[in-house]
Amino acid sequence: MANPISETQAINPGSLIELFELTTDAALHGSATTYRFHAGTNEVNNGNIIWDGNTYIAIPMEADGFKYANGQLPRPTLTISNVTNVITAILLNVNQVTPGNDLTGAVVKRRTTLARFLDAANFSGGSNPLGTPDPTAEFKRQIYTVDRKAAENREVVEFELAAAIDMAGVRAPKRQCT
């Protein structure tokens, strides 16, 4: 197993690859489905990335606010292009089961690795010229839940995420969590 942290300290560390997994909950959304996507491209068809045998769909998006500051948990935003209507289709499917849910409670995993660890299928010639594919070489996964849909229009859908341990407003027995 390669260590991506030590690889970033090398003279030529390579490209950082950011991948996202959105998993719906059967109880909240009607089915437990995982959607995988990323904001980059690959060398073969300038599109989807394959890592660990899973296909991550290329879709224009912006993820921001993952930095921890002043001891507070981050509240990142995930802005996804709605031009292809992929996100709208997911929202419509969820709203048929639970009207007004808008993916609230869905789990978002942010996975980061380096290009040298991507599957060989992403490169012309069928081999990774940057290094050896390794699905275990990733930085620490960041797990969030969709707190709310902040905006939706023809161009983008924006979600506000909350850390999995962010329990503001949840009542533990006889205690208010803040």
Side-chain angles (χ1 to χ4, degrees):
M1 178 174 117
N3 183 354
I5 295 172
S6 62
E7 292 288 334
T8 59
Q9 297 170 351
I11 293 173
N12 187 9
S15 300
L16 185 66
I17 306 296
E18 188 176 47
L19 307 167
F20 292 91
E21 296 178 358
L22 172 74
T23 305
T24 58
D25 183 276
L28 295 173
H29 309 110
S31 67
T33 306
T34 300
Y35 303 94
R36 294 176 175 89
F37 46 93
H38 73 99
T41 60
N42 71 8
E43 186 180 283
V44 173
N45 58 8
N46 206 22
N48 300 340
I49 286 182
I50 300 170
W51 188 57
D52 194 13
N54 296 314
T55 301
Y56 292 82
I57 298 168
I59 188 166
M61 60 176 283
E62 180 180 295
D64 191 28
F66 290 97
K67 184 177 178 182
Y68 288 84
N70 300 328
Q72 294 181 338
L73 294 172
R75 303 266 310 173
T77 57
L78 191 61
T79 306
I80 305 171
S81 172
N82 201 19
V83 174
T84 60
N85 291 325
V86 172
I87 299 302
T88 296
I90 295 170
L91 289 170
L92 287 173
N93 187 36
V94 167
N95 283 327
Q96 286 178 351
V97 177
T98 312
N101 182 286
D102 292 334
L103 291 176
T104 301
V107 175
V108 175
K109 291 180 185 174
R110 179 183 184 219
R111 301 179 73 181
T112 51
T113 188
L114 297 172
R116 69 179 63 226
F117 301 125
L118 292 177
D119 292 5
N122 295 297
F123 302 93
S124 56
S127 67
N128 186 338
L130 305 173
T132 304
D134 187 355
T136 62
E138 69 177 301
F139 294 93
K140 187 175 180 191
R141 288 183 197 168
Q142 295 176 320
I143 301 172
Y144 298 92
T145 57
V146 175
D147 189 46
R148 68 184 186 99
K149 179 177 71 174
E152 179 180 13
N153 58 43
R154 293 176 131 184
E155 289 82 30
V156 297
V157 177
E158 182 176 332
F159 296 103
E160 185 177 304
L161 308 178
I165 60 170
D166 189 353
M167 297 176 20
V170 175
R171 292 191 66 83
K174 297 185 182 181
R175 302 264 192 265
Q176 174 71 31
C177 299
T178 57

